[in-house]
Amino acid sequence: MMKLIADSSANLTMLEGVTYQSVPMTIRAGERDFVDDETLDTHELLDYLAAHNGKSGTACPSLDGWLKAFEGADEIFVITITSSLSGTCASAMAARDVYLQSHPEVKIHIFDTLSTGPEMQLLAEKLAELHAKGLPFDVICEKAQEYLATTHLFFSLKSLHNLAQNGRVSKIAAGAIGILGIHILATASLEGTIQPVEKCRGEKKTCAAMVQKLLEADYHGGKVRIHHAENPETAGALAAALRDRFPWTLLHLFPQADIKSYPLRGLCSYYAERGGVIVGFETM
Ligand code: X90
């Protein structure tokens, strides 16, 4: 049996046509521990965080979380958030070593996406598609790794407070915003770190700048996955702008570019904060 497993920063609770499992991270604030599983109320989390003044942080999945997820499968694909910002990939690799000792016949491949959220979703969908073709495990791994080199991530955030508080961006970058109405547009660097790109004022300009960045990064009508923290307006506006730009594509034989939006789950909600929008896209 094949299993596709991703940490909860992929913002996916299920995936059509495959056995999919999300392994939760944890968000800690004050007295509360929020486990990022499908029962988490992200609206309540965002409210709680907005009212909370003290320190807060996150924790990657435990070894045990991975081991439980591995159970029952003999071909396992693991998709993790960037190893440059999280111990998640390292904990998955440690879990694989432990698991293989008692299950030497099982195949486990770990993809360090050097990204998060919607770019992880794109990879998950690609893996499901390759698996459905009946390809051997190693071929799937190779093709999926090639695919990952052709997908990218941009995001727009209104606050870098939680990223800075937890040392995931420099205080200098964080200090540049927090001014009302200013959004920071950033991308996942090739090393899997956060690379600020531009500052924008207001949702409209942010949306236009996002379209521009996608085009400059060689987007020409492929799949787009938009994940947002209670910001369906900007997610919808962005999807509409991209569809206008690509009413049809020969390459993909879709009537329109394949663009879908989803709400963020807990881990990404914590770091992206309310209003944040994260966009993963194909360049092929
Ligand atoms: O191990 C842990 O505790 C998790 C740490 C995660 C840190 C970064 C999460 C970022 C989530 C923000 C925008 C996307 C950034 C992508 C950079 C490659 C969402």
Side-chain angles (χ1 to χ4, degrees):
M1 196 256 272
M2 177 280 230
K3 220 169 183 181
L4 226 156
I5 303 171
D7 65 67
S8 61
S9 76
N11 303 309
L12 283 182
T13 46
M14 58 91 68
L15 190 66
E16 205 107 344
V18 287
T19 307
Y20 176 82
Q21 193 158 341
S22 170
V23 177
M25 280 117 150
T26 308
I27 298 103
R28 302 202 161 118
E31 306 286 283
R32 295 281 303 268
D33 262 13
F34 297 88
V35 178
D36 191 13
D37 61 20
E38 69 287 351
T39 68
L40 176 70
D41 181 340
T42 54
H43 184 74
E44 197 232 327
L45 170 70
L46 287 168
D47 280 348
Y48 183 89
L49 292 169
H52 172 79
N53 285 317
K55 278 229 147 80
S56 57
T58 58
C60 66
S62 66
L63 209 74
D64 232 40
W66 292 113
L67 293 176
K68 279 205 195 89
F70 294 163
E71 289 295 326
D74 49 23
E75 295 197 338
I76 304 173
F77 301 99
V78 180
I79 302 175
T80 78
I81 187 170
T82 171
S83 60
S84 301
L85 299 178
S86 171
T88 298
C89 187
S91 95
M93 293 201 287
R96 173 178 60 183
D97 290 347
V98 170
Y99 198 76
L100 289 180
Q101 278 171 20
S102 49
H103 303 78
E105 73 293 349
V106 173
K107 291 180 183 157
I108 307 177
H109 187 88
I110 299 171
F111 294 91
D112 174 0
T113 60
L114 301 175
S115 184
T116 189
E119 199 174 351
M120 291 169 71
Q121 178 179 10
L122 286 172
L123 181 63
E125 290 177 2
K126 176 56 75 177
L127 283 164
E129 185 187 311
L130 292 168
H131 176 74
K133 286 188 181 156
L135 296 169
F137 187 81
D138 293 340
V139 177
I140 295 179
C141 293
E142 197 180 312
K143 287 191 182 293
Q145 199 65 53
E146 281 169 21
Y147 176 73
L148 190 53
T150 68
T151 59
H152 299 287
L153 191 84
F154 274 90
F155 50 99
S156 127
L157 307 179
K158 292 183 194 177
S159 162
L160 296 179
H161 178 267
N162 289 342
L163 281 169
Q165 180 186 249
N166 289 280
R168 261 81 187 195
V169 293
S170 77
K171 296 253 170 12
I172 304 162
I177 64 161
I179 307 159
L180 214 63
I182 298 293
H183 301 230
I184 193 139
L185 221 117
T187 189
S189 70
L190 288 176
E191 299 78 39
T193 57
I194 294 172
Q195 188 179 320
V197 171
E198 185 174 327
K199 271 173 268 172
C200 308
R201 184 181 292 275
E203 300 282 341
K204 264 210 179 108
K205 283 188 188 149
T206 304
C207 189
M210 186 70 93
V211 172
Q212 194 54 39
K213 290 298 156 205
L214 261 62
L215 295 174
E216 282 168 21
D218 250 353
Y219 174 70
H220 39 250
K223 270 191 188 178
V224 182
R225 297 291 176 258
I226 305 171
H227 294 181
H228 63 90
E230 303 194 341
N231 194 347
E233 298 80 13
T234 300
L238 183 62
L242 290 170
R243 283 198 191 101
D244 272 0
R245 197 83 198 204
F246 297 95
W248 52 272
T249 72
L250 266 184
L251 198 61
H252 295 82
L253 297 173
F254 282 117
Q256 282 192 318
D258 175 11
I259 302 173
K260 291 184 186 139
S261 330
Y262 302 79
L264 292 181
R265 299 302 305 153
L267 190 279
C268 284
S269 292
Y270 171 75
Y271 284 106
E273 305 187 43
R274 200 167 246 142
V277 177
I278 314 178
V279 184
F281 61 99
E282 295 179 347
T283 57
M284 315 192 291

